[in-house]
Amino acid sequence: MKKLLLGLAIAAGVAACATTTSPTGRTQYVGAVSQDQLNQMGALAFAETKAKTPQSKDARQLTYVRCVVSALVRELPANSGQGTAWDAAVFVNDEPNAFALPGGKVGVYTGIFKAARNQDQLAAVIGHEIGHVIAHHHDERITRQMMAQGALGVAGGLVGAGYGDAAANTTTQLGSIAAQGFFLLPNSRDQETEADIVGQDLMAKAGFDPRAAVNLWQNMMGAGGNRPPQWLSTHPDPKARIGELQARANGLLPRYEQARASGRTPHCG
């Protein structure tokens, strides 16, 4: 009964969420938390990362990252809700990665400099991460997670009422696996593709060469490493991703050239 009531409570909370359209026209379910709450969560996560992960002592690296971030966020749409006063940090970590959080926070790992070998390639990384934020992907993930938990709680409770706790636990476990494979992960791949689209457009507007996104992923692939099957991955297949980035880059060249002609020529180093 407790599981059933919990599931019903979560489902009732999610029922109040809104349906909206993403920057690429995809239907999104959002609203499980407010923008202020998302910003607070982002600030807390950023502070926690700073407390637990050493930061680079190379002032040039931080200046470099902040320059790229500033150039990108100046091009954010007015309705993004994120403003242009973003904070950035460089963390000592060999993993080639970066992240952006609601509330205007960007973190870059020192390992990314091995793959992002110039300012345009770094802009491709950071633009992609900022794309997640302005496309409300954090809100969407939280909302979808709550929806999945609510559905599993209701299913487990109903099975448990008829067949006992053991059957309820099995239902919840199997349902969790199914939710990951067919509900949560596919949505994450959609988000990754969407962040590519938003980020590549953003970098072209800011005067960074959108073709650098292709070079970045070629560098990432060159670094090697094993990948899980695509249907179990939260990221699109790298080869397919590079093809899509290349196709979009060609279409974004006029926007990039217009930005450069208008004086948006970043000199971040």
Side-chain angles (χ1 to χ4, degrees), residues 219-240:
N219 295 343
M220 295 282 275
M221 285 187 66
N226 296 323
R227 278 179 50 85
Q230 185 177 359
W231 66 274
L232 279 179
S233 173
T234 58
H235 290 69
D237 176 74
K239 291 182 180 179

Side-chain angles (χ1 to χ4, degrees), residues 103-232:
K105 312 295 182 184
V106 170
V108 171
Y109 293 172
T110 50
I112 197 63
F113 298 127
K114 297 176 183 177
R117 299 169 186 170
N118 56 48
Q119 66 170 13
D120 298 292
Q121 292 177 18
L122 183 61
V125 176
I126 296 176
H128 170 93
E129 298 303 330
I130 292 175
H132 280 305
V133 175
I134 63 174
H136 306 291
H137 289 167
H138 298 83
D139 186 358
E140 185 177 20
R141 290 173 194 167
I142 293 171
T143 301
R144 282 186 170 268
Q145 185 68 47
M146 291 181 67
M147 291 169 67
Q149 288 175 343
L152 290 175
V154 171
L158 290 174
V159 171
Y163 301 99
D165 287 342
N169 291 335
T170 299
T171 298
T172 301
Q173 290 171 2
L174 292 176
S176 179
I177 294 172
Q180 284 290 329
F182 299 107
F183 184 46
L184 301 177
L185 290 182
N187 181 69
S188 297
R189 288 196 294 271
D190 288 342
Q191 290 179 342
E192 288 298 321
T193 298
E194 191 163 69
D196 278 347
I197 295 171
V198 175
Q200 202 172 12
D201 181 71
L202 189 63
M203 64 184 292
K205 289 179 179 177
F208 295 106
D209 191 340
R211 294 169 293 188
V214 177
N215 304 134
L216 169 73
W217 275 100
Q218 289 172 334
N219 295 343
M220 295 282 275
M221 285 187 66
N226 296 323
R227 278 179 50 85
Q230 185 177 359
W231 66 274
L232 279 179

